Amino acid sequence: MSRVTEFLFRRKGGKGWHWTDIVTWIWLVAGLFVMFGPAVWLTASSFKSPAALAEFPPTILPYVTQKVAVEGYDKPLDLYTVALEDGSTATLAEVRRIGTVSQMVDPTKPANIVKVNIAKRTPVRKISFATENYTEPFTHFDFVRYLWNSVFVTVMATLITLVVNSMAAFALSKYEFRGRTFAMLLILATLMVPLSVIMVPLYSIVSALGLFNNLWGVILPTVATPTGVFILRQYMLTIPDELLDAARMDKASEWQIYWRIILPLTAPALAVLAIFSVVWRWNDFLWPLIVLSRKELYTLQVGLSIYSGELNVQWHFILAMTVVTMIPVVLVFLFLQRFITTGIAGTGLK
């Protein structure tokens, strides 16, 4: 811990502060705020009630107005700190509000009603986490089904993507054949083709194959990615050809070379592609929305749209379920993050 502290507070000017130390700290703190600020805000807001989300100015922590049971009233009343005309303050409960005037009572003496201008009252608040934002979607909506559909689509699409792209990259990096460079350029050229251009013919093909309203119709059209082929090919170029020749002299088949030599050595690049694939498939919204029309087949991102109606948007449920959808991606990143630097750095070597 002392070494970490020494590293964090190391100064270029020795004991004194150099101007570069100040700029570095400002840059790091600003970057930390930009990167993690939205995530912290999202997580904190997911525990707010609909009333707390509508407050202005907004707050980071989930505050709620305290309530008190008052004799003669069926429901608990909101508590406020009120500035009285004599300069003192009192804690009163609001009965009703009419325009800019609030009718309030003393919880201990509910017989007398006091009229107070709303500008002279401050709510008595406490921190309260609305955990029902997370529990109700699991009990009242088919959230578990949407979660399973997203997991199935993401896992299967990622596995098939790794196999298909690694095979293509192996052929383009280790086999000499006429048109190899042209084939690679053609694959990279597809990066400039947006989904909106091929959406109609792709939909026609999926429908003709009988994959409409089928999770495989979401998975199969996206398994071959030019980005994945490029990353894996560039990394495989760093593997010496002599290693493959030695395996062939030992009577190893091409499949054995691919499975036992190429794939293990390409593990860092495969991990990078796996992270990209999980993020792409998990957050995909447009293509599943086009292919799937039955609610029981919705993926998580499409299923969240049920909380957004024409006249009412249930932001508290959307924010809570958005936090839930972030968890698998974060776990995958934490598990594979040690391969990212190695995998990306190796793609530029030859």
Side-chain angles (χ1 to χ4, degrees):
M1 187 64 182
S2 59
R3 296 183 62 183
V4 175
T5 305
E6 181 183 356
F7 173 78
L8 291 176
F9 292 95
R10 183 182 302 171
R11 304 174 186 175
K12 183 178 180 180
K15 295 184 178 180
W17 284 90
H18 192 265
W19 69 270
T20 55
D21 298 327
I22 300 175
V23 172
T24 301
W25 272 101
I26 294 175
W27 180 262
L28 292 176
V29 171
L32 189 67
F33 178 79
V34 171
M35 291 177 61
F36 295 101
V40 173
W41 181 274
L42 171 66
T43 305
S45 298
S46 67
F47 289 100
K48 293 182 180 180
S49 63
L53 288 172
E55 285 185 349
F56 186 84
T59 59
I60 296 179
L61 296 177
Y63 288 102
V64 295
T65 302
Q66 293 190 28
K67 295 180 178 293
V68 63
V70 180
E71 184 180 356
Y73 296 92
D74 298 333
K75 297 181 179 181
L77 304 179
D78 294 337
L79 278 178
Y80 290 87
T81 301
V82 179
L84 302 177
E85 295 181 355
D86 59 0
S88 61
T89 59
T91 302
L92 303 179
E94 183 181 65
V95 178
R96 66 181 61 87
R97 172 182 167 181
I98 303 175
T100 60
V101 178
S102 176
Q103 297 182 358
M104 315 188 80
V105 296
D106 188 339
T108 60
K109 301 176 182 178
N112 299 325
I113 293 186
V114 181
K115 295 183 178 180
V116 179
N117 189 295
I118 60 174
K120 295 183 179 181
R121 58 175 190 152
T122 304
V124 179
R125 298 160 47 128
K126 64 178 181 178
I127 297 177
S128 177
F129 295 93
T131 55
E132 61 273 12
N133 295 347
Y134 287 87
T135 57
E136 286 193 21
F138 286 95
T139 56
H140 296 85
F141 300 96
D142 205 6
F143 182 81
V144 177
R145 168 60 63 181
Y146 302 150
L147 181 62
W148 163 249
N149 292 340
S150 284
V151 171
F152 178 78
V153 168
T154 301
V155 172
M156 296 305 299
T158 299
L159 293 177
I160 298 175
T161 295
L162 294 179
V163 173
V164 171
N165 290 358
S166 60
M167 286 183 175
F170 177 46
L172 291 171
S173 61
K174 296 304 177 184
Y175 291 135
E176 294 287 345
F177 58 90
R178 183 178 299 177
R180 184 179 72 165
T181 304
F182 176 76
M184 189 63 200
L185 292 177
L186 189 62
I187 292 174
L188 293 178
T190 59
L191 286 171
M192 298 182 289
V193 181
L195 177 62
S196 56
V197 174
I198 61 174
M199 189 180 301
V200 174
L202 194 60
Y203 176 84
S204 300
I205 295 173
V206 169
S207 180
L209 294 176
L211 297 178
F212 183 73
N213 268 331
N214 191 317
L215 292 179
W216 288 104
V218 179
I219 296 171
L220 295 179
T222 61
V223 294
T225 60
T227 304
V229 174
F230 175 75
I231 292 176
L232 295 179
R233 175 185 178 273
Q234 294 300 108
Y235 196 92
M236 290 179 185
L237 288 174
T238 64
I239 300 176
D241 294 336
E242 291 79 6
L243 187 62
L244 277 63
D245 294 336
R248 293 187 180 102
M249 293 178 63
D250 291 335
K251 306 300 182 181
S253 65
E254 297 301 312
W255 172 256
Q256 290 176 324
I257 293 174
Y258 163 77
W259 188 257
R260 296 186 178 182
I261 298 177
I262 295 297
L263 286 187
L265 293 178
T266 321
L270 290 173
V272 174
L273 180 58
I275 293 175
F276 289 163
S277 178
V278 168
V279 173
W280 292 336
R281 273 67 183 204
W282 188 262
N283 294 327
D284 193 12
F285 174 78
L286 182 58
W287 182 243
L289 180 65
I290 295 172
V291 176
L292 306 174
S293 61
R294 291 164 50 191
K295 293 184 63 175
E296 61 270 19
L297 294 175
Y298 281 176
T299 59
L300 197 56
Q301 305 302 331
V302 180
L304 286 177
S305 62
I306 66 175
Y307 301 120
S308 180
E310 183 177 354
L311 301 176
N312 182 32
V313 180
Q314 297 173 298
W315 288 112
H316 53 301
F317 289 146
I318 292 178
L319 293 175
M321 294 302 100
T322 302
V323 173
V324 174
T325 60
M326 290 170 52
I327 295 176
V329 178
V330 173
L331 293 178
V332 170
F333 178 81
L334 292 178
F335 180 72
L336 299 176
Q337 57 89 23
R338 63 192 182 96
F339 295 106
I340 293 178
T341 304
T342 304
I344 295 179
T347 58
L349 300 176
K350 182 177 180 181

